[in-house]
């Protein structure tokens, strides 16, 4: 049963000249060593072209008759560069998706912010930003490994705005999620 097919002969995006090796990342991205074009092309799990890197030559990121691929821990990609008698290893700089479905729930002297968890295996943590108006400025309020954060010791009867980003192990940060807001409830003795 054929799941998908991609490519034809050529040098454009999604085209190949002697594809030599294929690996699949933990996030189901398909890396294809396109030896004749001296590059690596990346596709999603349904065969859609995502990006490419590499070119003919002897410098960093350039290849001459590349023959093999290896992926370590989902973030280090090694390419056997036979024509240059070397192996080049690259750090994959993934950018996680923007967190979705944020909510802010007020509690006495605190607000709990939560969102739908990201599914990427390269996710390291989330960064939560807070502002006193929708226009900002948003400043870091804290970090969380799980998809929720409790902002504590807030003054009562004051509204706060929150947004969150996802941070990859290798450092790339997603764009800001759409902001949400909540008012810390007034404490009544």
């Amino acid at each position: 049963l054929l799941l998908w097919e991609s490519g034809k002969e050529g040098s454009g995006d999604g085209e190949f000249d002697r594809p030599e090796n294929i690996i699949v990342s933990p996030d189901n991205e398909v890396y294809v060593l396109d030896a004749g074009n001296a590059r690596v092309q990346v596709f999603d799990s349904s065969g859609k072209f995502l990006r490419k890197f590499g070119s003919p030559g002897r410098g960093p990121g350039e290849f001459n008759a590349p023959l093999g691929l290896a992926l370590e821990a989902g973030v280090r990609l090694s390419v056997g560069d036979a024509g240059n008698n070397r192996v080049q290893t690259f750090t994959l700089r993934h950018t996680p998706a923007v967190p979705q479905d944020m909510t802010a729930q007020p509690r006495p002297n605190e607000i709990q912010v939560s969102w739908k968890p990201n599914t990427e295996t390269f996710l390291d943590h989330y960064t939560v930003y807070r502002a006193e108006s929708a226009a900002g400025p948003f400043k870091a309020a804290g970090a969380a490994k799980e998809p929720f954060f409790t902002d504590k010791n807030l003054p009562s009867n004051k509204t706060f705005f929150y947004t969150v980003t996802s941070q990859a192990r290798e450092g790339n940060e997603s764009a800001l999620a759409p902001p949400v807001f909540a008012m810390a409830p007034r404490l009544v003795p």
Side-chain angles (χ1 to χ4, degrees), residues 41-96:
Q41 295 193 71
V42 185
F43 300 84
D44 71 10
S45 61
S46 63
K48 177 184 171 198
F49 174 82
L50 297 174
R51 61 190 175 278
K52 65 185 175 197
F53 68 92
S55 61
R58 298 190 54 79
E62 297 176 338
F63 307 110
N64 180 11
L67 289 178
L69 292 176
L71 185 63
E72 180 187 354
V75 295
R76 282 180 295 285
L77 180 70
S78 295
V79 180
D81 190 7
N84 288 319
N85 295 309
R86 65 182 178 183
V87 173
Q88 294 188 70
T89 300
F90 303 90
T91 300
L92 301 179
R93 294 257 182 203
H94 298 290
T95 301

